[in-house]
Amino acid sequence: MNQEKIALLVDSCTDVPEEFIEKYGMFVIPLNIIYKDRVYTDKVDITAEEVYQNLKNEVPTTSLPDGQVITDIFESIKKDGYQKVIVVTISSGLSGTNNLVRLIAEDFTDLDVFVLDTKNIGIGSGIQAVEAAKLIEEGLSFSAIKEQLTLNVSKSKVFFSVATLEYLKKGGRIGLVSSILGNALNLRPIISCNEQGVYYTVSKARGRKKSLENAIQLVKEYIGDHQKVRLAVVNGDAVPEAAIIKAQLQHLFPNNLAMFEGPVSPALGVHTGPGLIGICVQLLD
């Protein structure tokens, strides 16, 4: 049995559902959401709904977590008697969080810290944290968990259907997604992260309904013959549609290991805008 005491730390943009954060006692690094008149802490004093409701008046920006906040979290991890820490962050290709955490971790010489770059975003990253929690619970050694998580990076994929590219463009997070998709044509892209962890367009469809059908088709293709998968559906102000998608996926993949759902983080919502549906697949065999 594993006697190592391993802490699990995630950033708020990994969108780990609250139930898992509580169940596994995960530590969370919050990003900041910046409005002209004040700065909010992601998921702490602002919700994604509040961000969407206010988009007409102001599109906020997001910023990296405060270095002091990260330092304080490492201090409390130490105080709780942990010697080893697994950190799961969103893609270093989309955010500087991963690098910042690594730099700060170097100051904690008495902690053995592994920082995983998931090369993914939102629940595509969070699903890795859930897997990490399960591996810790199963009593795997720190080195075995590091190895397994590193292997898993290329076995998770998230497909986002966005209602508009306007917010990705404003936030400068557009990556390899062409922003000249004509609104007149009602073209809706499905976006994912490539191997470098940067956004790219997987497919385009005319209209919302076709876009969501495309997303499900992409999930089917990605799963292929795999039997052991974990699925997640997240949404940004699109709860009824997310429920329909979830039901369709459960029907298509009745033996998936877990199906979780929830809202995207406010910080992610800033960049995607309302009407987001995200489907994540993790291959486990």
Side-chain angles (χ1 to χ4, degrees), residues 63-81:
S63 79
L64 292 184
D66 187 64
Q68 190 54 52
V69 169
I70 299 173
T71 300
D72 292 347
I73 293 172
F74 275 125
E75 289 291 359
S76 56
I77 284 173
K78 230 166 67 171
K79 224 200 256 93
D80 287 351

Side-chain angles (χ1 to χ4, degrees), residues 46-244:
I46 191 167
T47 65
E49 282 67 41
E50 288 167 326
V51 169
Y52 302 137
Q53 280 156 16
N54 202 38
L55 282 173
K56 288 182 288 296
N57 312 318
E58 186 183 350
V59 179
T61 55
T62 55
S63 79
L64 292 184
D66 187 64
Q68 190 54 52
V69 169
I70 299 173
T71 300
D72 292 347
I73 293 172
F74 275 125
E75 289 291 359
S76 56
I77 284 173
K78 230 166 67 171
K79 224 200 256 93
D80 287 351
Y82 291 99
Q83 283 113 31
K84 296 181 182 336
V85 189
I86 303 267
V87 187
V88 177
T89 75
I90 61 171
S91 171
S92 61
L94 293 169
S95 161
T97 306
N98 181 278
N99 202 31
L100 182 61
V101 174
R102 275 188 317 137
L103 288 171
I104 291 171
E106 285 170 10
D107 295 337
F108 288 85
T109 47
D110 42 0
L111 284 176
D112 194 350
V113 183
F114 171 67
V115 185
L116 180 75
D117 182 354
T118 60
K119 302 273 198 260
N120 228 315
I121 186 119
I123 194 62
S125 305
I127 216 160
Q128 296 280 41
V130 173
E131 176 67 1
K134 291 190 182 303
L135 295 174
I136 291 170
E137 190 178 53
E138 284 167 20
L140 263 73
S141 70
F142 187 62
S143 60
I145 294 171
K146 289 196 311 193
E147 201 173 313
Q148 188 58 53
L149 292 177
T150 305
L151 282 174
N152 283 355
V153 169
S154 61
K155 292 160 67 176
S156 294
K157 192 89 174 158
V158 70
F159 300 102
F160 286 121
S161 171
V162 290
T164 171
L165 288 172
E166 183 191 342
Y167 300 104
L168 277 172
K169 215 159 65 186
K170 278 184 178 153
R173 294 292 195 287
I174 201 85
L176 305 172
V177 178
S178 161
S179 59
I180 40 190
L181 285 171
N183 281 339
L185 296 174
N186 195 14
L187 281 176
R188 303 289 180 90
I190 303 265
I191 294 171
S192 188
C193 293
N194 67 10
E195 278 143 27
Q196 283 73 49
V198 174
Y199 289 140
Y200 75 110
T201 307
V202 191
S203 78
K204 295 171 213 164
R206 196 160 281 174
R208 175 72 159 183
K209 189 170 176 287
K210 191 77 186 103
S211 172
L212 293 174
E213 282 169 12
N214 268 13
I216 287 187
Q217 185 54 37
L218 287 162
V219 167
K220 278 161 72 171
E221 286 166 15
Y222 187 70
I223 290 175
D225 297 331
H226 290 275
Q227 295 301 308
K228 280 177 72 179
V229 298
R230 206 178 266 140
L231 290 166
V233 176
V234 292
N235 78 90
D237 208 21
V239 174
E241 284 172 306
I244 293 166

